[in-house]
Amino acid sequence: MDSYAKLNWLTSSETNNDYFTIERSTDGQNFDPLEEIKGAGNSSEEISYEWIDQKLLPGNNYYRLKQTDYDGKFTYSNIVRTIIDVSEETRIFPNPTSSHVNVLSSSENSLQIMDVFGKSYRNHNISEGLNTIDVADLPAFKIGVQVQKILEN
């Protein structure tokens, strides 16, 4: 199963929006540009954007959007983290998600759901097979999933 990160964002309106730059980091501090997405310029309607990162880096992948106006002024979004390189025995999908996460595991594991600042929202023990966890009540684009194998004492 190939891993990828699907980035989605909405604008409720746009004023002089030239483009978005998708940036990625492994440490949450030093970001590199990945892609530019053309903005709508001026719009009073909700617009949905999407981009897929198919070249994930091992470990933490932090993302942010840099929105640039026609005059060169820019702002940054909040930072979002996706954790890659979990045990080969465990698969997480879809990732990222806003409603539920499926965890396919070949053994019992411990799953921790946290935000990009490391604040833990939930801990779950998952069983062998397919586990579905509802995350709809968590903040969008601020969740990460980390899986650790449960060690026998």
Side-chain angles (χ1 to χ4, degrees):
M1 180 180 299
D2 294 330
S3 295
Y4 63 92
K6 183 176 174 182
L7 307 176
N8 297 297
W9 67 99
L10 295 170
T11 59
S12 56
S13 65
E14 296 182 28
T15 305
N16 298 320
N17 180 19
D18 193 6
Y19 59 92
F20 296 96
T21 305
I22 299 168
E23 298 181 343
R24 181 179 61 198
S25 169
T26 57
D27 63 7
Q29 302 294 318
N30 302 297
F31 285 84
D32 295 313
L34 296 177
E35 186 77 27
E36 280 189 9
I37 307 291
K38 185 73 178 149
N42 295 297
S43 173
S44 59
E45 296 180 18
E46 187 175 273
I47 299 175
S48 176
Y49 294 90
E50 177 180 292
W51 186 77
I52 296 175
D53 183 1
Q54 295 180 326
K55 297 179 182 176
L56 299 174
L57 302 173
N60 291 315
N61 285 259
Y62 296 88
Y63 296 94
R64 71 179 180 189
L65 289 175
K66 178 181 178 184
Q67 184 278 316
T68 305
D69 291 338
Y70 291 126
D71 63 5
K73 293 181 182 176
F74 59 87
T75 57
Y76 288 105
S77 70
N78 291 331
I79 297 171
V80 178
R81 177 176 71 170
T82 299
I83 301 171
I84 304 303
D85 202 23
V86 298
S87 164
E88 290 184 23
E89 300 173 346
T90 304
R91 299 287 181 240
I92 300 171
F93 58 95
N95 190 7
T97 184
S98 61
S99 61
H100 71 278
V101 63
N102 294 309
V103 182
L104 182 59
S105 181
S106 62
S107 62
E108 290 186 9
N109 288 292
S110 172
L111 175 117
Q112 180 179 25
I113 300 174
M114 67 191 89
D115 68 16
V116 296
F117 303 108
K119 177 184 175 189
S120 179
Y121 286 90
R122 290 200 196 121
N123 291 306
H124 291 276
N125 286 332
I126 55 175
S127 59
E128 182 178 340
L130 182 64
N131 300 263
T132 300
I133 299 169
D134 183 4
V135 294
D137 62 319
L138 298 180
F141 296 109
K142 293 188 180 180
I143 63 171
V145 176
Q146 182 173 23
V147 176
Q148 298 175 337
K149 187 169 180 75
I150 295 176
L151 301 176
E152 300 284 330
N153 288 337

